[in-house]
Amino acid sequence: MKNRTLATAATVLASVATLLVLLGMLGRAQQAARPAALAAPAALAVDQVNPTDGPNDLDTSMVITGTDFVSTPAVYLGDAPLGDVSWVNSTRLEGVVPWGVDPGVYPLTVENPGGDSTSMTDAFTVTEAIGVWNAGELYGGDVSEVAVVSQTPEIVYAV
């Protein structure tokens, strides 16, 4: 009976020792994880814009990379909203710089729906295109006739 009591006591002590070791390991794992949990959340930022320039006579597709983008952000080139902005993920947006923007160097601003915003100065340069087109109501389609004004050949009429 005495051997049986000693065996039971030894088993209980071994179990308690194992439990204490496991609790110690758990405590160390929680301490190691704690700094990561307390780390500051990612801040909204624009890291890169690609491409960084485009002509003012064509729509230019743009990829914006950064951190903490949320779905449906507003994106501005200078004061003008960027067209067709798509949220790809928290680090990538895609949009279109529309044709017709005045030549110049523009900042890019991303504004998340909650009001957080960030800007990148001198993010995109709009260059003067080869020609400047002036049209009243431009709907596209086929051109059937072209006429050049002989006194001022830089003026062209298209039907």
Side-chain angles (χ1 to χ4, degrees):
M1 181 79 168
K2 201 178 210 184
N3 285 343
R4 190 176 211 181
T5 304
L6 287 175
T8 302
T11 302
V12 169
L13 285 174
S15 297
V16 168
T18 302
L19 181 60
L20 289 174
V21 169
L22 290 174
L23 287 174
M25 291 170 62
L26 179 63
R28 284 192 297 277
Q30 286 176 335
Q31 285 177 343
R34 194 169 294 137
L38 297 176
L44 177 62
V46 173
D47 297 330
Q48 186 177 17
V49 173
N50 189 18
T52 58
D53 60 74
N56 68 345
D57 65 342
L58 298 171
D59 288 347
T60 303
S61 296
M62 173 187 286
V63 174
I64 304 159
T65 55
T67 55
D68 203 31
F69 300 141
V70 297
S71 62
T72 66
V75 181
Y76 300 91
L77 191 61
D79 294 331
L82 207 62
D84 298 324
V85 174
S86 299
W87 180 85
V88 177
N89 57 42
S90 65
T91 62
R92 182 181 172 117
L93 302 172
E94 295 177 357
V96 175
V97 178
W99 71 275
V101 176
D102 290 331
V105 180
Y106 292 89
L108 182 113
T109 302
V110 175
E111 186 176 295
N112 279 339
D116 292 338
S117 68
T118 187
S119 293
M120 174 183 266
T121 58
D122 303 335
F124 192 83
T125 302
V126 177
T127 57
E128 181 78 39
I130 294 173
V132 179
W133 291 88
N134 183 1
E137 296 177 359
L138 191 59
Y139 296 109
D142 296 331
V143 174
S144 59
E145 295 181 43
V146 175
V148 178
V149 178
S150 59
Q151 292 83 8
T152 45
E154 65 271 5
I155 297 176
V156 177
Y157 292 100
V159 178

